[in-house]
Amino acid sequence: MSDDRGVGHTTDTSTLLPVDEYRERISNLLAATRERHCPLDECLGLALAEDVTAPIPLPPFDNSAMDGYAVRAADVAGADSRHPVTLPVTADIPAGRVEIPPLEPGTAHRIMTGARLPPGAEAAVPVELTDGGTERVTVHRAVPEGSNLRRAGEDVTVGQVVLERGQTLGAAQLGLAAAVGNAELPIRRPPRVLVLSTGSELVEPGTELLPGQIYESNGTMLAAAVRQCGGEARLLRFVPDEVSELHAALAPHLAETDLILTSGGVSAGAYEVVKDALAGSGVRFDKVAIQPGMPQGSGHYEAAGYRVPVVTLPGNPVSSIVSFEVFVRPALRRAGGHRETRRPHRRVTLTETLRSPSGKRQYRRGSFDPEADAVTTSGGAGSHLLSGMAAADCLLELPEESTEVAAGSTVDIWLLSEN
């Protein structure tokens, strides 16, 4: 059994590995993935491998910001509701027209939003300030030079770095990449993670449970967590509690796996198959000064000429997902080239008094109130209480030296809904 039975459980903390030391160990397990070029529609959520500079300005030419009429400012300078100005309309300029006739003095061109400004034009009169004429237009209000125009390069200049190495590519970043002419981008390949779910008691959700069986959930949860942080996950379910079966299950996947991620089977019980199978294959098992999630394992699985990084997480579901957030997620983000590897942190006010075990860093599930800049726990401290984790939008981090944190104290939280 692990230490995850509640805050009151005591453990000799003098032999525990510090959280930060163990996190650094996990981070150093994974090498950076290779760079490759990817079409834009395959880049969402990936990390940029190189800076992207603009070969063109944005906008690429002076254009109208409104549907209306391109004019010379002097020609409408005296226009108002009592003294409108009427001009002949000598051209239509829809967006995308390539050949644009010059605007002669004393005339107007009807122009659409985004259309290139004709030579000689100094402003655009919105259609709402006119009678909307097509052959002649009556302007009811003067517009100064430069009105309602988008100037070439006012957003982006030629040679400007528009996206930076390590940036996570979202919708706006991909839109900008396309706007400056990129059909593909240099990215880091997502880390490929084999998520291994062991346990003879596990059955697939949707089937009938027999006495002593439980639905497999950790594999689903961890595979989703891998994908959420930009990795590729392959879920290998229902490996029985037999050492030979575990080795056989791993063998076909070693060539294309950057990390083997397991949950369960790492404590001190009699049927700890992950520990039994991997302890002699280059994986080290330790106790870390964290609650929940004290029993941990890491190293390399060496078999059939392959040497694949391994992280083994505890089996209680909250222990498993908290351990992923604290130790595995930063390593995957770093290997995938992301500049931001950890969740956003905030210092907020605690609304209740909490107890924490001395010598261990405790992570509690929380609900963050941004208006009050305060946090309240979500569910109890037990590592089997998954519903509280599902309801949480943050993790509270209570330091090792704290045994009691009073209501009104300032605490660190990790925002789970961001990054």
Side-chain angles (χ1 to χ4, degrees), residues 320-332:
S320 193
I321 193 62
V322 167
S323 296
F324 180 91
E325 287 289 338
V326 177
F327 302 123
V328 182
R329 191 179 198 277
L332 289 177

Side-chain angles (χ1 to χ4, degrees), residues 48-406:
L48 195 61
E50 301 172 8
D51 288 349
V52 173
T53 58
I56 62 169
L58 286 183
F61 47 80
D62 293 348
N63 67 88
S64 177
M66 307 285 287
D67 291 339
Y69 298 84
V71 297
R72 293 175 182 264
D75 290 337
V76 296
D80 59 28
S81 58
R82 297 180 61 186
H83 303 93
V85 172
T86 299
L87 301 171
V89 178
T90 53
D92 255 354
I93 310 176
R97 180 172 176 178
V98 176
E99 298 295 331
I100 307 293
L103 179 70
E104 299 298 333
T107 69
H109 285 356
R110 192 166 69 149
I111 193 167
M112 301 299 114
T113 302
R116 186 157 64 95
L117 195 69
E122 299 168 337
V125 181
V127 68
E128 293 84 358
L129 302 183
T130 74
D131 66 352
T134 56
E135 295 184 0
R136 299 182 66 80
V137 62
T138 298
V139 179
H140 299 290
R141 188 184 302 172
V143 290
E145 183 176 339
S147 295
N148 305 309
L149 302 183
R150 302 165 177 162
R151 294 299 187 182
E154 71 176 39
D155 185 16
V156 171
T157 58
V158 174
Q160 179 180 336
V161 175
V162 292
L163 297 171
E164 296 181 348
R165 180 174 64 89
Q167 194 166 0
T168 302
L169 296 168
Q173 290 76 32
L174 294 175
L176 179 56
V180 296
N182 291 278
E184 59 182 22
L185 289 174
I187 55 89
R188 288 285 180 188
R189 175 180 59 74
R192 297 171 300 201
V193 182
L194 181 66
V195 179
L196 184 64
S197 176
T198 66
S200 298
E201 78 281 11
L202 302 178
V203 297
E204 186 173 3
T207 61
E208 184 179 355
L209 284 178
L210 298 177
Q213 293 182 331
I214 61 172
Y215 290 124
E216 195 287 316
S217 60
N218 279 9
T220 298
M221 178 173 63
L222 292 173
V226 168
R227 297 184 188 108
Q228 190 181 54
C229 72
E232 293 180 359
R234 176 177 296 177
L235 177 55
L236 191 58
R237 273 175 151 178
F238 312 124
V239 178
D241 285 334
E242 296 288 343
V243 169
S244 60
E245 300 252 15
L246 190 146
H247 287 300
L250 291 176
H253 305 285
L254 299 179
E256 297 183 351
T257 297
D258 297 307
L259 173 68
I260 298 169
L261 183 64
T262 74
S263 65
V266 296
S267 294
Y271 297 99
E272 307 294 350
V273 63
V274 171
K275 195 171 187 178
D276 292 343
L278 301 183
S281 303
V283 178
R284 174 179 169 180
F285 294 87
D286 293 290
K287 292 181 179 179
V288 180
I290 185 173
Q291 188 185 59
M294 182 177 69
Q296 301 282 339
S298 62
H300 290 87
Y301 179 69
E302 301 175 8
Y306 296 101
R307 191 170 184 265
V308 182
V310 176
V311 174
T312 69
L313 305 178
N316 278 323
V318 177
S319 300
S320 193
I321 193 62
V322 167
S323 296
F324 180 91
E325 287 289 338
V326 177
F327 302 123
V328 182
R329 191 179 198 277
L332 289 177
R333 297 279 291 177
R334 177 180 171 184
H338 295 271
R339 183 172 55 200
E340 299 295 334
T341 62
R342 295 175 63 183
R343 298 281 194 180
H345 287 49
R346 290 193 64 163
R347 296 279 289 170
V348 301
T349 301
L350 181 65
T351 63
E352 60 195 295
T353 297
L354 298 177
R355 292 184 59 80
S356 183
S358 177
K360 292 184 182 179
R361 190 177 303 180
Q362 188 184 49
Y363 291 88
R364 296 285 294 270
R365 291 77 89 190
S367 178
F368 172 55
D369 180 353
E371 292 187 4
D373 206 31
V375 64
T376 303
T377 56
S378 172
S383 59
H384 62 294
L385 302 175
L386 187 56
S387 62
M389 187 73 215
D393 57 17
C394 67
L395 291 176
L396 290 78
E397 185 177 58
L398 305 180
E400 292 86 343
E401 63 272 15
S402 298
T403 56
E404 182 174 291
V405 184

